[in-house]
Amino acid sequence: MQGSKKNVKHPSYSVVVSASHLRERRLWRFLTNMLIRLGYDIQFDVIGEVPIVTLLNVHPSREKDLREADELSTDPLVPIESYQDTFGNHACRLLAPAGKLRLQNSTLIEDSGVPDIVCLDASEVPVNQLPPAVMPYLLNSRYCEVDLLSSTAAELFWTAPRGWARVQAVCDWVHSKVTFGYEFSNPVRTALGVYTERVGVCRDFQHLAITFCRALNIPARYATGYLGDIGVRLDPNPMDFSAWFEAYLGDRWWTFDARHNVRRIGRVLLATGRDATDCAITTSFGRARLISFKVISDEVQGALRTA
Amino acid sequence: MQGSKKNVKHPSYSVVVSASHLRERRLWRFLTNMLIRLGYDIQFDVIGEVPIVTLLNVHPSREKDLREADELSTDPLVPIESYQDTFGNHACRLLAPAGKLRLQNSTLIEDSGVPDIVCLDASEVPVNQLPPAVMPYLLNSRYCEVDLLSSTAAELFWTAPRGWARVQAVCDWVHSKVTFGYEFSNPVRTALGVYTERVGVCRDFQHLAITFCRALNIPARYATGYLGDIGVRLDPNPMDFSAWFEAYLGDRWWTFDARHNVRRIGRVLLATGRDATDCAITTSFGRARLISFKVISDEVQGALRTA
Amino acid sequence: MQGSKKNVKHPSYSVVVSASHLRERRLWRFLTNMLIRLGYDIQFDVIGEVPIVTLLNVHPSREKDLREADELSTDPLVPIESYQDTFGNHACRLLAPAGKLRLQNSTLIEDSGVPDIVCLDASEVPVNQLPPAVMPYLLNSRYCEVDLLSSTAAELFWTAPRGWARVQAVCDWVHSKVTFGYEFSNPVRTALGVYTERVGVCRDFQHLAITFCRALNIPARYATGYLGDIGVRLDPNPMDFSAWFEAYLGDRWWTFDARHNVRRIGRVLLATGRDATDCAITTSFGRARLISFKVISDEVQGALRTA
Amino acid sequence: MQGSKKNVKHPSYSVVVSASHLRERRLWRFLTNMLIRLGYDIQFDVIGEVPIVTLLNVHPSREKDLREADELSTDPLVPIESYQDTFGNHACRLLAPAGKLRLQNSTLIEDSGVPDIVCLDASEVPVNQLPPAVMPYLLNSRYCEVDLLSSTAAELFWTAPRGWARVQAVCDWVHSKVTFGYEFSNPVRTALGVYTERVGVCRDFQHLAITFCRALNIPARYATGYLGDIGVRLDPNPMDFSAWFEAYLGDRWWTFDARHNVRRIGRVLLATGRDATDCAITTSFGRARLISFKVISDEVQGALRTA
């Protein structure tokens, strides 16, 4: 059974979580499991000694799927401190010496090959019944000014059907109203900026969607990782890490993507947080200029499906 | 006088400015322990059923000092769920029914009577040596745009002596440049707004100071609580909860207050967080109009000092 | 015919400009002409010598209606330079000496007593047919970010009937969505701020309405003057200058007021401009603190209507 | 060589830095008069009928230097209405039909060949002595928030020597603190945005410098035109229109350029105004997508200097 199976066009495939389909889903997963080669090669020009924090390891929730070690290597060699940050991400911290610094890794992960799951029945949870750990994802954050966009959110989405459909309505609106372009990249643009300028890159789409969800009392958080262009038309742009978001419905977080607004195969999560502030791939506490950036996320053809 | 035993481990006393003053301070502490009556009476007009989260209980770090129960009571009676939020604060959550809602409490706390401690020797910690739990307090948050004020912070404070003196320089600058006035209250004003408008209420002063500290790689977090007007000139304004901030130097968080910029006696902490978003006394997830607000924080005269 | 006529409730009285009603309108005006006493008493505390520009004289378009001299007097006496500013307003410029400065005047103006005219037939003018002098009122200005609100304006009003009805739809929206309150006064709030915060004072309402109109290619400008509380329920607040706006439809500027959203009697125009920047009653180029502010705009009972 | 006669009254020459250099400069002028070929080729894709206003003609103050006609031509041919706008610029207005629209011109202008004049003696004019027409250039505008940056301007420049040196100090600061890059282009960035982000394109540099000048009570206005890369190192980027600014000192407007911060030869002014809003090369009142943009500004070698 070859990798060609991935070419089956199922962008809107909906895996329903009801018990009745559970067996079927297991079967399908068995058929579609795949291996993805992940990697990056990032180079900085560092002025002075600069502490750097990375979120380049796969998220703890995906560690069980790793088939190779997932370890950041640096050139020159520097000590790396690994810890779980307050959002539950796998962070690394190092002190970059002056000069060139290269961050590299290559690892292998097994993936279900199933597109982002759709669960139309997932319902909104009353605020007073949400798990306490979820509560912060209802509030303002740096790039998500819930206070400034709550009236607009109500005007646009209050009459939308509650639950999954409402989050989807938010994604549809953002996807259709905002124009994507790398030339629109602006690291200080907030959700309000996206709403007013109607342009942006992937993080901008998610920030606006997250803000609308929170304003509607639906917890939403930012997610970053390997997008996994598996089974979709090739993107002419160089591979990059991507952003999407998660909304809390029913009893768990679900993946949404206001930028692409399609169900994708092969996303590999690196980090979640309130917004891009918490999920920066690298945060430099000093002057470190990015001079090169490469990301790899490729299906390893035939590796697993033939099993 | 059993309360004095508990005070032995009071975190406020664990760091002494210099060994030579240790005896003197202990004596003074013995003389100055005091009891403070705390309370509030807050009324809302609620439209529809509205979930409300409160941060009206004293902070877990001060629970050992309580001499009476510290329990939120509501009128009408509604179930209250009590939990520790992700920032370590004691939160309560309730579902307010439509109509009038009254939140009340009165409790008694023992306090050292010692002014906010000064520790001129407390030094800045290199970012790569900070405890992971402290790291988020270096980053952007809704009302603290570190990204937008980092150049200004560097221009204003880079040459200031490192450590305690630098945080104090930040407080001095903010205190002298910003004009206080209740008429300047604006719930959506950010640190950048404070920097440009140069007016504000207590939270605004702290947001700007916090932002400058973070831009200088000094962790800083927002704090809210009873201000404790003990031993200071009477404020003609009605009592209110107040905001101050904490900076991380050496091995702990220290109290600073860019609004008053003096060492105060009798602060009682309720909550800490990234900024005012995380520390709102009450957060309503729906329409609840504040119609009355009273806060009490009075020293109980003679109660303890005569012991 | 007494002033009691003013009590006739005609907030929505519509004077239609069509030729057929012209005679009738003249007759009505003859019956309703009134005299209004205008005045102000403004005091500053000036630090150093401060140049001040005032727009306290009635607009040149109303000079023909003056029945007394309209001259700014100052205490202490200082030379006053009078000139027409680039927007066609009657400006005065003076150099205030250090210390107290008092600006005063009292004058008398005749007014038609007719409410702001409604002309439902006034149509939108294609941009390429507008008089060149009107063109700037389609563009961005300090408090009217047309660029940031153009998508919102299109989404809200593109389907509204063109012409007068569309400007009225803008006023209706702003009036119903924004909450008025003196406590919401914020001199740096822009139209976008009004849109996001949904609170404000009179200038805020007009800024948002102006911005929406411009985004719809309808020229709109800010207007300030005596509101003329004639024939309306007494406002419990102290009299103040007010702001409204003018939209260009057909071949002229028409009065609209998104704050009150009713047709008023007795407005007396002082100044027009792009936004509040151009129409400030006083602009101080240095430190001058406003310490007292009184405005008078009262109908002189029986003075003219009995004629 | 008749062109040299016209130059006698050229405003650029009416102020000489010191009497002692008068003869030398005259000689230099004679030697350096030059001809510059100006032109542009701009193409839009127009959706629907869209009114467009252009400011593509040389400024009226330079019309006397034209050696060829300066006429906008369009493809397809459409009627063009030419008028002087409220800022004194030569505007053209047309109604673009749906589809491709091409705007073209080529003209020839004589230029003194003298670099932007420096007049160190030009002094600041007290606000109360400024010509009324200059007053608006002290106030806020869309991209120049004088109200938000006045404290910063005072803190940075209040102690700078008054007059020319102060404007130069503003230019030096902006030039040294802001990083230029086409990738930083952002049409909605204001002076405050430049101050906080410290990146931008030419218009951003000027907006911040203009705002600081106004905050210091020095009138400043935005200028756009052909930069004239004459006598300077070749810029690898394609030619574009550029922005600079003018400050009012003594009795006239002087050219400054916070982006390049050097005195340039061969600038040809197109338009001045409060900020980029008033000076847009083209303003489309509808959907017109820019698809091609070419600008020419080349010295015609040997044409005049050999005379």
Side-chain angles (χ1 to χ4, degrees):
Chain A
M1 235 208 67
Q2 268 73 352
S4 59
K5 272 291 179 273
K6 80 183 190 305
N7 289 328
V8 174
K9 298 267 191 323
H10 42 206
S12 62
Y13 181 92
S14 94
V15 177
V16 182
V17 188
S18 69
S20 64
H21 293 97
L22 196 56
R23 223 168 336 138
E24 182 182 349
R25 205 154 75 79
R26 271 189 191 142
L27 176 66
W28 193 58
R29 278 182 59 201
F30 173 75
L31 293 172
T32 56
N33 266 11
M34 59 170 64
L35 287 177
I36 305 175
R37 168 68 49 198
L38 304 175
Y40 51 84
D41 183 348
I42 304 173
Q43 296 183 57
F44 288 100
D45 196 359
V46 177
I47 292 138
E49 278 194 332
V50 174
I52 294 181
V53 173
T54 71
L55 294 171
L56 285 161
N57 293 79
V58 301
H59 193 263
S61 64
R62 291 300 300 272
E63 280 172 7
K64 65 182 183 314
D65 300 324
L66 285 168
R67 297 295 166 259
E68 289 182 7
D70 176 30
E71 279 185 16
L72 168 64
S73 73
T74 66
D75 177 15
L77 266 176
V78 294
I80 297 175
E81 180 194 3
S82 183
Y83 61 95
Q84 185 154 325
D85 74 13
T86 55
F87 295 94
N89 306 310
H90 181 158
C92 286
R93 190 164 60 175
L94 55 90
L95 184 62
K100 293 273 191 304
L101 176 74
R102 191 168 185 176
L103 306 178
Q104 275 179 291
N105 189 24
S106 170
T107 190
L108 194 65
I109 199 164
E110 185 171 340
D111 190 84
S112 69
V114 176
D116 304 325
I117 294 178
V118 173
C119 180
L120 300 175
D121 299 335
S123 59
E124 295 181 24
V125 184
V127 169
N128 51 309
Q129 295 171 23
L130 285 168
V134 169
M135 295 294 288
Y137 299 101
L138 288 172
L139 301 180
N140 278 315
S141 60
R142 169 69 183 98
Y143 299 114
C144 299
E145 310 102 324
V146 181
D147 48 357
L148 299 181
L149 283 167
S150 61
S151 295
T152 299
E155 284 153 12
L156 292 175
F157 305 110
W158 202 252
T159 59
R162 308 287 303 259
W164 185 279
R166 209 184 208 181
V167 180
Q168 188 55 53
V170 166
C171 290
D172 291 346
W173 194 94
V174 173
H175 181 73
S176 69
K177 295 288 190 179
V178 180
T179 300
F180 179 88
Y182 289 109
E183 71 272 27
F184 301 130
S185 172
N186 177 356
V188 301
R189 186 185 290 119
T190 65
L192 180 60
V194 186
Y195 176 74
T196 55
E197 301 174 40
R198 302 290 170 96
V199 296
V201 293
C202 60
R203 66 181 241 153
D204 297 305
F205 286 74
Q206 319 308 339
H207 280 153
L208 182 53
I210 289 168
T211 306
F212 281 150
C213 287
R214 292 182 189 168
L216 299 166
N217 287 341
I218 301 171
R221 67 184 185 191
Y222 190 89
T224 195
Y226 295 91
L227 178 56
D229 291 320
I230 285 120
V232 295
R233 185 170 51 81
L234 280 178
D235 191 318
N237 294 295
M239 187 69 192
D240 192 0
F241 292 112
S242 188
W244 56 88
F245 78 102
E246 296 181 341
Y248 194 90
L249 295 170
D251 60 353
R252 53 161 285 197
W253 293 102
W254 303 89
T255 295
F256 288 88
D257 182 345
R259 151 81 175 95
H260 297 96
N261 205 25
V262 292
R263 300 281 130 190
R264 298 284 287 250
I265 295 172
R267 292 184 205 266
V268 178
L269 187 67
L270 294 182
T272 65
R274 289 192 176 187
D275 62 28
T277 291
D278 300 327
C279 300
I281 292 300
T282 62
T283 302
S284 304
F285 297 88
R287 298 174 61 193
R289 196 167 56 87
L290 184 67
I291 51 180
S292 164
F293 192 89
K294 281 181 205 148
V295 178
I296 294 163
S297 170
D298 287 333
E299 183 178 4
V300 181
Q301 294 295 333
L304 205 69
R305 296 189 177 191
T306 58
Chain B
M1 223 208 71
Q2 77 232 50
S4 59
K5 281 175 195 114
K6 287 207 164 120
N7 282 336
V8 172
K9 285 179 199 299
H10 196 294
S12 304
Y13 301 99
S14 61
V15 178
V16 180
V17 177
S18 74
S20 63
H21 294 98
L22 194 58
R23 222 169 336 140
E24 182 183 350
R25 280 223 309 138
R26 271 186 189 149
L27 177 65
W28 191 51
R29 278 175 55 205
F30 174 75
L31 293 173
T32 56
N33 266 12
M34 58 170 65
L35 287 177
I36 305 174
R37 167 69 51 200
L38 305 175
Y40 51 83
D41 183 348
I42 304 173
Q43 296 183 57
F44 288 99
D45 196 359
V46 178
I47 291 136
E49 278 194 332
V50 174
I52 294 181
V53 173
T54 71
L55 293 171
L56 284 160
N57 292 80
V58 301
H59 193 263
S61 64
R62 291 299 300 272
E63 281 173 6
K64 67 186 178 314
D65 300 324
L66 285 167
R67 297 295 165 261
E68 288 182 8
D70 175 30
E71 281 184 15
L72 168 63
S73 73
T74 65
D75 178 14
L77 265 175
V78 294
I80 297 175
E81 180 195 3
S82 183
Y83 62 94
Q84 185 154 325
D85 73 14
T86 55
F87 295 93
N89 306 309
H90 182 159
C92 286
R93 190 164 59 174
L94 55 90
L95 184 62
K100 292 273 191 305
L101 175 75
R102 191 168 184 176
L103 306 177
Q104 275 180 291
N105 189 24
S106 170
T107 189
L108 195 66
I109 199 163
E110 186 171 338
D111 190 84
S112 69
V114 176
D116 303 325
I117 293 179
V118 173
C119 180
L120 301 176
D121 300 334
S123 59
E124 295 181 25
V125 183
V127 169
N128 51 310
Q129 295 171 24
L130 286 168
V134 169
M135 295 293 288
Y137 300 101
L138 289 172
L139 301 180
N140 278 315
S141 60
R142 169 69 183 99
Y143 298 114
C144 299
E145 311 102 324
V146 181
D147 48 358
L148 299 181
L149 284 167
S150 62
S151 295
T152 299
E155 284 153 11
L156 291 175
F157 305 110
W158 202 252
T159 59
R162 308 286 305 258
W164 186 280
R166 210 183 207 182
V167 179
Q168 188 55 52
V170 166
C171 290
D172 291 346
W173 194 94
V174 173
H175 181 73
S176 69
K177 295 286 190 179
V178 180
T179 299
F180 179 88
Y182 288 109
E183 71 272 26
F184 301 130
S185 172
N186 178 356
V188 300
R189 185 185 290 120
T190 66
L192 180 60
V194 186
Y195 177 73
T196 55
E197 302 174 39
R198 303 289 170 96
V199 296
V201 293
C202 60
R203 65 180 241 153
D204 297 305
F205 286 74
Q206 319 308 338
H207 280 152
L208 182 53
I210 289 167
T211 307
F212 282 150
C213 287
R214 291 182 189 169
L216 299 166
N217 287 341
I218 302 171
R221 67 185 184 189
Y222 190 89
T224 195
Y226 294 91
L227 179 58
D229 292 320
I230 285 119
V232 296
R233 186 170 50 82
L234 281 178
D235 192 319
N237 294 296
M239 188 68 193
D240 191 0
F241 292 112
S242 188
W244 55 89
F245 78 102
E246 296 180 342
Y248 193 91
L249 295 169
D251 61 352
R252 51 161 290 195
W253 293 101
W254 302 89
T255 295
F256 289 88
D257 182 345
R259 151 81 176 96
H260 297 97
N261 206 26
V262 291
R263 299 281 129 189
R264 298 284 287 251
I265 295 171
R267 292 184 204 265
V268 178
L269 187 66
L270 294 181
T272 65
R274 289 192 178 188
D275 63 27
T277 291
D278 299 328
C279 300
I281 292 300
T282 62
T283 302
S284 304
F285 296 88
R287 298 175 62 195
R289 195 167 56 87
L290 184 66
I291 52 180
S292 164
F293 191 90
K294 281 180 204 148
V295 178
I296 293 163
S297 169
D298 287 333
E299 182 177 3
V300 181
Q301 292 298 330
L304 207 68
R305 297 190 177 189
T306 58
Chain C
M1 243 211 63
Q2 268 76 350
S4 59
K5 274 289 182 273
K6 80 187 190 305
N7 289 328
V8 174
K9 300 267 193 317
H10 41 207
S12 61
Y13 181 92
S14 94
V15 177
V16 182
V17 187
S18 69
S20 63
H21 292 96
L22 195 56
R23 223 167 334 138
E24 182 183 350
R25 206 155 74 79
R26 272 189 189 143
L27 177 64
W28 193 57
R29 281 180 58 201
F30 174 76
L31 292 172
T32 56
N33 267 11
M34 58 171 63
L35 287 177
I36 305 174
R37 167 69 50 199
L38 305 175
Y40 52 84
D41 182 349
I42 303 172
Q43 295 183 56
F44 288 101
D45 197 359
V46 178
I47 292 137
E49 277 194 334
V50 174
I52 294 181
V53 172
T54 71
L55 293 171
L56 284 160
N57 293 79
V58 301
H59 193 264
S61 64
R62 292 301 300 272
E63 280 173 7
K64 66 184 181 316
D65 299 324
L66 285 168
R67 296 295 167 261
E68 289 182 8
D70 176 30
E71 279 184 15
L72 168 63
S73 73
T74 67
D75 177 16
L77 264 175
V78 294
I80 297 175
E81 180 195 3
S82 183
Y83 62 94
Q84 185 154 325
D85 74 13
T86 56
F87 294 93
N89 305 310
H90 182 158
C92 286
R93 190 165 60 175
L94 54 89
L95 184 61
K100 293 270 192 306
L101 175 75
R102 191 169 186 177
L103 306 177
Q104 274 179 292
N105 189 26
S106 171
T107 189
L108 194 66
I109 199 164
E110 186 172 340
D111 189 83
S112 69
V114 176
D116 304 325
I117 293 178
V118 173
C119 179
L120 300 176
D121 300 334
S123 59
E124 294 181 25
V125 183
V127 169
N128 51 310
Q129 294 171 23
L130 285 168
V134 169
M135 295 293 289
Y137 299 101
L138 288 173
L139 302 180
N140 279 314
S141 59
R142 170 67 183 100
Y143 298 114
C144 298
E145 310 102 324
V146 181
D147 47 358
L148 299 181
L149 284 167
S150 61
S151 295
T152 299
E155 284 153 12
L156 292 175
F157 305 110
W158 201 252
T159 58
R162 310 285 305 258
W164 185 280
R166 208 183 208 182
V167 179
Q168 188 55 52
V170 166
C171 290
D172 291 347
W173 194 94
V174 173
H175 181 73
S176 69
K177 295 287 190 179
V178 180
T179 299
F180 179 89
Y182 288 109
E183 71 273 27
F184 301 130
S185 173
N186 178 354
V188 301
R189 185 185 289 120
T190 65
L192 180 59
V194 186
Y195 177 74
T196 55
E197 302 174 40
R198 302 289 170 96
V199 296
V201 293
C202 58
R203 66 180 238 155
D204 296 305
F205 286 74
Q206 319 309 339
H207 281 153
L208 183 52
I210 289 168
T211 306
F212 281 150
C213 287
R214 291 182 190 170
L216 299 165
N217 288 340
I218 301 171
R221 68 185 184 189
Y222 191 88
T224 194
Y226 295 91
L227 179 58
D229 291 320
I230 286 125
V232 295
R233 184 171 52 82
L234 280 179
D235 191 321
N237 294 295
M239 187 69 192
D240 192 0
F241 292 112
S242 188
W244 55 89
F245 79 101
E246 296 180 342
Y248 194 91
L249 296 169
D251 60 353
R252 53 161 285 197
W253 293 102
W254 303 89
T255 295
F256 288 88
D257 182 345
R259 152 80 176 97
H260 296 96
N261 205 24
V262 292
R263 300 281 130 190
R264 297 285 287 251
I265 296 171
R267 292 184 204 266
V268 177
L269 187 67
L270 294 182
T272 66
R274 288 190 177 190
D275 62 28
T277 291
D278 301 326
C279 301
I281 293 300
T282 62
T283 302
S284 304
F285 297 88
R287 298 174 62 194
R289 196 168 55 88
L290 184 67
I291 51 180
S292 164
F293 192 89
K294 282 181 204 148
V295 178
I296 294 163
S297 169
D298 287 332
E299 183 178 3
V300 181
Q301 293 295 330
L304 206 70
R305 296 189 177 191
T306 56
Chain D
M1 225 209 69
Q2 78 231 53
S4 59
K5 278 173 197 116
K6 287 209 164 121
N7 281 337
V8 173
K9 284 177 199 298
H10 195 296
S12 303
Y13 301 98
S14 60
V15 177
V16 179
V17 177
S18 72
S20 64
H21 293 98
L22 195 58
R23 223 168 337 140
E24 182 184 349
R25 282 222 309 134
R26 271 189 188 145
L27 177 64
W28 192 53
R29 277 174 55 203
F30 174 75
L31 293 173
T32 57
N33 265 14
M34 58 170 63
L35 287 177
I36 304 174
R37 168 68 49 198
L38 304 175
Y40 52 84
D41 183 349
I42 304 172
Q43 295 182 57
F44 288 100
D45 197 359
V46 178
I47 292 138
E49 278 194 332
V50 174
I52 294 180
V53 172
T54 71
L55 293 172
L56 284 161
N57 292 79
V58 301
H59 193 263
S61 65
R62 291 302 300 271
E63 281 173 7
K64 66 186 179 315
D65 300 324
L66 286 167
R67 298 293 166 263
E68 288 181 8
D70 175 30
E71 278 183 17
L72 168 64
S73 73
T74 66
D75 177 15
L77 265 176
V78 294
I80 296 175
E81 180 194 3
S82 183
Y83 62 93
Q84 185 153 326
D85 74 13
T86 55
F87 294 93
N89 305 310
H90 182 158
C92 287
R93 190 164 61 176
L94 55 89
L95 184 62
K100 293 271 191 306
L101 176 74
R102 191 169 186 176
L103 306 178
Q104 275 180 293
N105 190 24
S106 171
T107 189
L108 194 66
I109 199 164
E110 185 171 340
D111 190 83
S112 69
V114 176
D116 303 326
I117 293 179
V118 173
C119 180
L120 301 176
D121 299 335
S123 58
E124 294 182 25
V125 183
V127 168
N128 51 309
Q129 294 171 24
L130 286 168
V134 169
M135 296 293 288
Y137 299 101
L138 289 173
L139 301 180
N140 279 313
S141 59
R142 169 68 182 100
Y143 298 114
C144 299
E145 310 101 324
V146 181
D147 48 357
L148 299 181
L149 284 166
S150 61
S151 295
T152 299
E155 284 153 12
L156 292 175
F157 305 110
W158 201 252
T159 59
R162 310 284 305 257
W164 185 280
R166 210 184 206 181
V167 179
Q168 188 56 52
V170 167
C171 290
D172 292 346
W173 194 95
V174 173
H175 180 73
S176 69
K177 296 287 190 179
V178 180
T179 300
F180 179 89
Y182 288 109
E183 70 272 28
F184 301 130
S185 173
N186 177 355
V188 301
R189 185 185 291 120
T190 65
L192 180 60
V194 186
Y195 177 74
T196 55
E197 302 173 39
R198 303 288 170 98
V199 296
V201 292
C202 59
R203 66 181 239 154
D204 297 304
F205 286 74
Q206 318 309 338
H207 280 152
L208 182 53
I210 289 168
T211 307
F212 281 149
C213 287
R214 291 182 190 169
L216 299 165
N217 287 341
I218 301 171
R221 68 185 183 189
Y222 190 90
T224 196
Y226 295 91
L227 178 57
D229 290 321
I230 286 120
V232 294
R233 186 170 50 82
L234 280 179
D235 191 321
N237 294 295
M239 187 69 193
D240 192 359
F241 292 112
S242 188
W244 54 89
F245 79 101
E246 297 181 340
Y248 194 91
L249 295 169
D251 61 353
R252 52 160 287 196
W253 293 101
W254 302 89
T255 294
F256 288 87
D257 182 345
R259 151 80 175 96
H260 296 97
N261 205 25
V262 292
R263 299 282 131 189
R264 296 285 286 250
I265 295 171
R267 293 184 203 267
V268 178
L269 187 68
L270 294 181
T272 66
R274 289 189 177 191
D275 62 27
T277 292
D278 300 327
C279 301
I281 293 299
T282 62
T283 303
S284 304
F285 297 88
R287 298 175 62 194
R289 195 168 55 88
L290 184 66
I291 51 180
S292 163
F293 192 89
K294 281 181 205 149
V295 178
I296 295 163
S297 168
D298 287 333
E299 183 178 2
V300 181
Q301 292 298 330
L304 207 67
R305 294 189 179 191
T306 57

